[in-house]
Amino acid sequence: MIHTFKLMFELHYQEVQDMQRRLNIKYTELNDYFEGVFPGVTMAISNSGNGKWKLYMVADAIQLLGKPDITEADYISLKKEIRYILWNIVGHSAYYKNQTLLRIDYRYDVPIANIDTRMLFMDLYKKQTKSYRFQKKSLGKLKDGVFDPYKTTVYHSSQSIKSMVYLKQEEREAKGERVEYYERNVIRFEIQIMENHLYYMERKNDKDPRPRKLSEYMKDDVYKEYFRKYMAQIYHLGDFYKIDEARNRLKSSSLSSANKIKLIEFLKQVSSHSVDTPLNKMAKGTYKKRLALLQEVGINPILIPKNYTSKETSQKAPPYLENPLNEFPW
């Protein structure tokens, strides 16, 4: 469900002074003092210069609780751990109720043992839409003026939301970090909810305001809501097929002959470049209808290239791949 989250607590000046005397540290040394005491947690206290002191806490929920499968039911345990941390810092946990959630990362992990299959999925995801709801697709970054493509990551980001898919084990290995047992061979789908969006949902969403509290964003319904709204719209449902298999699937469907022909042509257009290609000659309304029909028959708009071979082992791609998102509890 969740992975990392960031909280902010406003502190009283006197409590910061008391903490420094009690722990015999400067407030800037807080994180070093508690390093390794609270697994997966980093902390910092800041003074904005106007008499307001703030404690920032970033927590990896998996490490903090010592379990990979975090659910809504784990909120009580997280609350207990965070209150205990506050008690160690300021001598009480009353500030917990006044927390402000600044970021939360939702995740869904799918283990796929075969590296060729994982890399094929990444190549398919690179052909997804270039933008969605102000989120722009990124396939790499400029390094010394030269474009350096990401090998195992695709993401769509704005200042408020980032939707991404990446290979977790390969990411760890590239950074020289230890791969946890629950990260091996994993394709991770992740949605990062940023401060701007959290603020909007609390202050500007008049119909159904959502407080910036960890309890609100750890609800199963909220988790599913964000995956439906972003992940399903960018990476699409439906299994992946080569063109011949997709054609056979459409032929056996109950769609009209006219729609079957239109969808085959649509898939060919997408296959020529990306899922946005048909929009060059097609109205957006028609485009959405084509995508809806494909979802109805269980076909992802991105085709497996007919002559695709693995860069790692030169193995040919299979004619069909089950969508890793199939088991998500939509």
Side-chain angles (χ1 to χ4, degrees), residues 189-233:
F189 298 88
E190 186 171 305
I191 299 178
Q192 299 176 0
I193 314 297
M194 309 297 189
E195 185 175 359
N196 287 348
H197 180 83
L198 295 168
Y199 179 84
Y200 170 81
M201 294 301 290
E202 180 180 62
R203 303 289 183 181
K204 298 182 180 180
N205 190 352
D206 296 332
K207 294 181 180 179
D208 187 22
R210 182 175 292 153
R212 287 181 289 171
K213 304 295 182 184
L214 182 60
S215 58
E216 292 294 321
Y217 283 84
M218 275 197 67
K219 294 177 179 177
D220 286 337
D221 287 347
V222 176
Y223 167 55
K224 295 175 184 178
E225 171 192 322
Y226 279 101
F227 262 73
R228 285 193 299 266
K229 189 173 182 179
Y230 294 97
M231 198 60 69
Q233 303 305 317

Side-chain angles (χ1 to χ4, degrees), residues 93-229:
S93 61
Y95 283 129
Y96 184 82
K97 65 181 179 180
N98 296 323
Q99 64 172 271
T100 300
L101 182 65
L102 299 181
R103 171 177 164 173
I104 189 165
D105 298 349
Y106 293 123
R107 57 182 266 273
Y108 178 67
D109 290 351
V110 182
I112 297 176
N114 189 292
I115 180 59
D116 292 333
T117 303
R118 295 200 301 275
M119 293 303 296
L120 172 54
F121 276 123
M122 295 312 302
D123 286 338
L124 296 175
Y125 293 140
K126 289 174 183 178
K127 301 185 76 172
Q128 299 292 1
T129 183
K130 63 182 179 182
S131 64
Y132 176 74
R133 287 180 175 264
F134 303 107
Q135 297 179 51
K136 304 297 182 183
K137 181 169 67 177
S138 179
L139 299 177
K141 61 182 178 181
L142 286 176
K143 188 176 182 180
D144 299 325
V146 178
F147 183 75
D148 184 23
Y150 300 132
K151 293 181 180 179
T152 59
T153 302
V154 177
Y155 71 83
H156 292 70
S157 66
S158 67
Q159 293 183 344
S160 301
I161 303 280
K162 179 184 286 187
S163 305
M164 59 194 302
V165 57
Y166 60 103
L167 305 186
K168 188 61 186 180
Q169 176 175 329
E170 285 73 8
E171 181 218 34
R172 289 286 195 200
E173 292 172 345
K175 294 179 178 179
E177 299 174 346
R178 185 178 73 175
V179 180
E180 302 293 346
Y181 73 92
Y182 54 85
E183 297 172 335
R184 294 180 191 137
N185 302 329
V186 156
I187 289 184
R188 174 167 292 179
F189 298 88
E190 186 171 305
I191 299 178
Q192 299 176 0
I193 314 297
M194 309 297 189
E195 185 175 359
N196 287 348
H197 180 83
L198 295 168
Y199 179 84
Y200 170 81
M201 294 301 290
E202 180 180 62
R203 303 289 183 181
K204 298 182 180 180
N205 190 352
D206 296 332
K207 294 181 180 179
D208 187 22
R210 182 175 292 153
R212 287 181 289 171
K213 304 295 182 184
L214 182 60
S215 58
E216 292 294 321
Y217 283 84
M218 275 197 67
K219 294 177 179 177
D220 286 337
D221 287 347
V222 176
Y223 167 55
K224 295 175 184 178
E225 171 192 322
Y226 279 101
F227 262 73
R228 285 193 299 266
K229 189 173 182 179

Side-chain angles (χ1 to χ4, degrees), residues 241-260:
Y241 295 85
K242 287 187 175 181
I243 184 62
D244 290 341
E245 283 67 28
R247 185 181 286 111
N248 290 336
R249 177 73 183 247
L250 285 169
K251 285 181 178 178
S252 63
S253 74
S254 60
L255 296 179
S256 68
S257 296
N259 277 330
K260 292 175 184 179

Side-chain angles (χ1 to χ4, degrees), residues 2-7 9 34 36-43 57-70 74-86 88 96 172 178 180 182 214 218:
I2 71 167
H3 185 214
T4 305
F5 58 89
K6 182 177 182 180
L7 297 173
F9 307 88
F34 284 107
V37 177
F38 309 115
V41 176
T42 57
M43 297 174 288
M57 184 186 301
V58 177
D60 182 324
I62 297 173
Q63 292 186 35
L64 185 57
L65 295 186
K67 55 175 292 187
D69 300 319
I70 308 296
D74 293 307
Y75 170 71
I76 299 300
S77 296
L78 279 175
K79 177 181 177 180
K80 181 179 178 181
E81 293 292 337
I82 296 167
R83 289 175 68 97
Y84 179 66
I85 295 171
L86 288 172
N88 277 270
Y96 184 82
R172 289 286 195 200
R178 185 178 73 175
E180 302 293 346
Y182 54 85
L214 182 60
M218 275 197 67

